[in-house]
Amino acid sequence: MKFLVTGGAGYIGSHMVKFLLSKNHEITVFDNLSSGKFINNKINFIKVDLVNLNKLDQLMSKKKFDAVFHFAALSIVNESEKKPRKYYLNNVQGTKNLINSMIKYNINNLIFSSSASVYGAPKTKKILERHKLKPISEYGRNKKEIEKILVRIGKKKNFKSISFRYFNAAGADETAKIGENHKPETHLIPKILNSIKRKKKKVYIYGNSYKTIDGTCIRDYVHVNDIVRAHYYGLKKFRQKKCILNYNIGSGKGYSVLEIIKGIEKVTKVKLKIVYKKKRKGDPPILIADCKKILKDLKWKPKYKNINKILSTAWRWHKKSFI
Ligand SMILES: NC(=O)c1ccc[n+]([C@@H]2O[C@H](COP(=O)([O-])OP(=O)(O)OC[C@H]3O[C@@H](n4cnc5c(N)ncnc54)[C@H](O)[C@@H]3O)[C@@H](O)[C@H]2O)c1
């Protein structure tokens, strides 16, 4: 089949590309390389910004894609608060352009990278998809708005979509050829691994008085290749006449920041020096996915169940990479 992967030069997108190639599909990547840099020579790579509708139309008219995997986005939560316009333009307008261009050229199947940030600070420990969407960051509001657009268009037109709400993507491909590398890196695991690589042992924890087992925030980590597999399983839903779906993708288990640090110490065999800092605004204490819906509908569950295994795939990549 012919697939378009937007943001295919980034962390999750590059894993998606590798997986699709392993199944012998024909892949085109659209990426503006604002943060991504992985380019696989077996794909048709096109440097393009989704904000540029004319260029997008030109490119879309050339190939009839069976489906589009839409990973391209800016995703630094703090930055989104400081630069809401930049985020709206890139994430919401860029996605609107993509959808409009798809509709123009009769490409009707889209898988969208949404996020647990749509839930904001949830009321329940485990979050179901029907939980109220109350994002507390501009980034989360971007994701919520795009999900709403997809629902609206799906009801009016023959346009099918699945919004996958990822919790924390983590780990790297077993080959250690691709892995997580955001610039700047704000994600806990790669941030610490980067420091260790540079022989720095100081680690900051923001807040230790949350109502959790050890006072630090709890998050749900899911291996990047498990996320990718869920996308592939999702494709079968496009056989339905109507398809406007959303699913959580998580492990269903939560780990505190301290537990992750201990796991990293174990995997890297490096003792870290923890420094506690003040809580950050907008950090919900606990975010854990309830994954019953995706298990029931797509028969998906994570293969990586052990957090130390996830951490060791990440460490293997970090050790080898040139970042
Ligand atoms: N990493 C996570 O834990 C996580 C969690 C929830 C949701 N998500 C979402 O998953 C998607 C992928 O995340 P990631 O961690 O791989 O991010 P990433 O930054 O590694 O990849 C995003 C890619 O999109 C490209 N891009 C950004 N804006 C673009 C534009 N206007 N036009 C063309 N290309 C553009 C970047 O150059 C980059 O290669 C994003 O939509 C993100 O919001 C990620």
Side-chain angles (χ1 to χ4, degrees):
M1 291 171 94
K2 291 192 186 84
F3 294 118
L4 170 63
V5 181
T6 76
Y11 168 43
I12 308 174
S14 61
H15 286 77
M16 188 79 236
V17 166
K18 180 176 181 274
F19 181 89
L20 293 172
L21 285 174
S22 76
K23 304 274 179 201
N24 293 321
H25 296 294
E26 189 185 317
I27 315 300
T28 300
V29 164
F30 289 176
D31 198 303
N32 65 0
L33 298 181
S34 58
S35 66
K37 61 171 172 320
F38 171 78
I39 302 173
N40 188 314
N41 55 15
K42 295 190 193 112
I43 58 168
N44 175 27
F45 178 83
I46 297 166
K47 187 169 182 228
V48 58
D49 196 314
L50 301 187
V51 171
N52 185 342
L53 180 60
N54 289 340
K55 177 97 188 277
L56 209 53
D57 276 349
Q58 252 179 43
L59 293 167
M60 254 348 170
S61 65
K62 289 191 185 138
K63 207 172 256 174
K64 176 86 179 79
F65 297 111
D66 294 294
V68 176
F69 296 92
H70 177 34
F71 295 96
L74 293 172
S75 54
I76 302 171
V77 175
N78 274 348
E79 190 190 40
S80 78
E81 290 295 280
K82 289 182 199 135
K83 298 179 179 167
R85 282 206 196 143
K86 175 181 170 187
Y87 269 67
Y88 189 89
L89 178 68
N90 192 80
N91 294 352
V92 181
Q93 191 56 50
T95 305
K96 280 184 181 172
N97 289 351
L98 178 70
I99 297 170
N100 286 335
S101 194
M102 286 174 68
I103 291 173
K104 216 175 279 172
Y105 296 102
N106 209 18
I107 299 164
N108 301 313
N109 303 323
L110 178 77
I111 295 191
F112 168 59
S113 302
S114 189
S115 152
S117 64
V118 294
Y119 298 115
K123 295 267 178 289
T124 52
K125 195 171 159 203
K126 281 201 169 189
I127 313 167
L128 282 161
E129 286 82 351
R130 62 171 179 269
H131 189 287
K132 199 170 167 47
L133 305 190
K134 230 178 156 190
I136 50 177
S137 68
E138 185 61 21
Y139 168 71
R141 282 188 287 277
N142 289 171
K143 295 292 186 193
K144 180 182 168 186
E145 183 159 348
I146 296 164
E147 284 202 26
K148 267 171 65 186
I149 293 170
L150 290 172
V151 171
R152 205 166 55 231
I153 293 182
K155 284 182 181 163
K156 278 206 283 198
K157 296 184 187 281
N158 172 32
F159 191 86
K160 302 177 188 180
S161 69
I162 303 175
S163 296
F164 282 121
R165 297 173 184 159
Y166 319 153
F167 282 62
N168 289 55
D173 190 64
E174 298 279 351
T175 58
K177 287 187 177 150
I178 43 177
E180 186 169 13
N181 180 21
H182 302 98
K183 285 229 160 56
E185 190 54 82
T186 56
H187 296 203
L188 179 69
I189 297 169
K191 213 172 157 182
I192 299 177
L193 295 180
N194 284 343
S195 298
I196 294 176
K197 207 176 154 175
R198 288 177 177 76
K199 311 264 180 258
K200 291 185 189 152
K201 300 204 173 144
K202 211 186 264 179
V203 171
Y204 297 104
I205 297 185
Y206 297 90
N208 61 348
S209 58
Y210 288 99
K211 285 186 185 146
T212 59
I213 37 160
D214 55 26
T216 66
C217 283
I218 292 182
R219 295 289 179 267
D220 178 326
Y221 297 86
V222 54
H223 194 273
V224 60
N225 279 342
D226 279 327
I227 294 183
V228 160
R229 208 164 32 83
H231 286 57
Y232 202 62
Y233 291 5
L235 289 173
K236 62 181 172 231
K237 288 284 172 188
F238 292 143
R239 288 189 216 123
Q240 295 176 180
K241 206 161 180 297
K242 278 262 165 207
C243 173
I244 316 169
L245 293 166
N246 57 48
Y247 296 104
N248 286 338
I249 304 185
S251 67
K253 275 189 272 179
Y255 294 93
S256 73
V257 174
L258 263 180
E259 284 173 324
I260 293 296
I261 292 174
K262 290 205 180 99
I264 291 178
E265 286 183 328
K266 194 165 171 200
V267 163
T268 59
K269 301 187 177 56
V270 172
K271 182 88 189 118
L272 295 163
K273 184 176 176 327
I274 295 169
V275 178
Y276 287 102
K277 292 215 157 194
K278 268 202 317 212
K279 284 182 184 177
R280 283 181 304 203
K281 204 177 138 232
D283 261 348
I286 304 177
L287 286 176
I288 307 174
D290 186 311
C291 297
K292 283 197 276 292
K293 187 175 169 190
I294 187 165
L295 173 63
K296 182 166 175 274
D297 262 29
L298 300 184
K299 311 280 175 283
W300 174 92
K301 57 180 174 190
K303 283 188 181 165
Y304 288 82
K305 295 197 179 84
N306 181 323
I307 189 69
N308 287 347
K309 172 74 186 150
I310 296 179
L311 294 173
S312 61
T313 63
W315 180 226
R316 217 174 317 133
W317 180 76
H318 269 81
K319 267 196 300 191
K320 256 181 86 173
S321 72
F322 295 103
I323 53 167

